[in-house]
Amino acid sequence: ARLKLQSLSVNGPRGAYEFFALSAVEYAPLLNPARKMGTAITRVRNFVEPLTGNVNTFIANSTGAPSAADLETVNPVLQSRCVPLGATANTYSVNEVAVAVVARVYLHAGYDTTANRVLFQTAIQDYFEAFPIGGLSDPGGAYTNSLPILDVFGLLYETGQKFGIPIDNAAVTLNGTGAGVSLTVTSTTAEIPVLSPATPTVNFSPT
């Protein structure tokens, strides 16, 4: 609702660009000539270049960077719905950063099942699919524009609690290290983490 209201202000609130990018599936058929999105856009981030005032909008779908065809479809939607005469707005794809997630969960042998392992893998996949463009920043300054490893670590415990799986201990690595993954985000480029392989490795160690 908030983004819908902002969409009424042409070239005004940034929410207008976000709203129409997220709604491109609906508005693409109204273009002339009509277009069709292959995959819905689910994540948007925009920047205003301080020197030029240009608006740069970065888009991603649930799996990562959009196809070239979808990028070429979202751009005219934004141009026709958000950008007034004389203004400049650019639509860009995000850049993907491959992240290999390896998790080890220590639990009672009775919970060591394939079905339970899939629950943890799915939770990690869902987290990556919704992860914001450009990453997260800690208000206390511990990290900036990052995929925090503590988030993934905490997700294991949250998943165990959600599904009634007691966890004795857990460990996580991202790209083989015990640190978060830094992401680049500027007015002209923005990155998102993408699982590689697409199914994270989750190992159970019975206790």
Side-chain angles (χ1 to χ4, degrees):
R2 175 181 57 81
L3 291 178
K4 176 66 173 179
L5 290 173
Q6 293 189 55
S7 73
L8 302 177
S9 178
V10 178
N11 205 43
R14 295 182 179 185
Y17 292 87
E18 185 175 353
F19 172 81
F20 284 111
L22 295 173
S23 305
V25 168
E26 176 183 352
Y27 287 94
L30 303 180
L31 293 169
N32 187 16
R35 295 176 180 245
K36 183 179 180 180
M37 291 288 293
T39 305
I41 299 304
T42 58
R43 292 173 281 181
V44 180
R45 184 164 180 173
N46 49 38
F47 297 87
V48 177
E49 293 186 19
L51 295 180
T52 64
N54 295 348
V55 178
N56 295 335
T57 301
F58 297 89
I59 59 174
N61 55 42
S62 61
T63 60
S67 67
D70 281 348
L71 178 63
E72 293 173 0
T73 298
V74 173
N75 183 57
V77 169
L78 298 186
Q79 298 296 333
S80 63
R81 297 284 175 172
C82 303
V83 187
L85 186 66
T88 299
N90 305 297
T91 309
Y92 296 118
S93 170
V94 296
N95 294 326
E96 297 182 350
V97 176
V99 178
V101 176
V102 177
R104 182 166 296 278
V105 180
Y106 298 85
L107 38 62
H108 189 274
Y111 294 96
D112 184 0
T113 67
T114 299
N116 283 345
R117 186 175 291 103
V118 170
L119 293 176
F120 287 95
Q121 291 172 325
T122 301
I124 295 171
Q125 290 171 324
D126 290 346
Y127 175 79
F128 271 75
E129 288 179 2
F131 195 80
I133 296 172
L136 300 174
S137 296
D138 176 44
Y143 51 83
T144 302
N145 300 329
S146 173
L147 167 63
I149 193 168
L150 287 179
D151 273 22
V152 183
F153 179 79
L155 183 62
L156 299 176
Y157 283 90
E158 292 174 8
T159 303
Q161 184 176 31
K162 178 179 179 180
F163 294 102
I165 305 171
I167 296 177
D168 295 328
N169 204 347
V172 177
T173 63
L174 304 179
N175 289 339
T177 75
V181 177
S182 295
L183 301 170
T184 298
V185 55
T186 68
S187 62
T188 57
T189 186
E191 295 179 335
I192 59 167
V194 175
L195 281 171
S196 180
T199 301
T201 300
V202 177
N203 298 310
F204 285 169
S205 290
T207 58

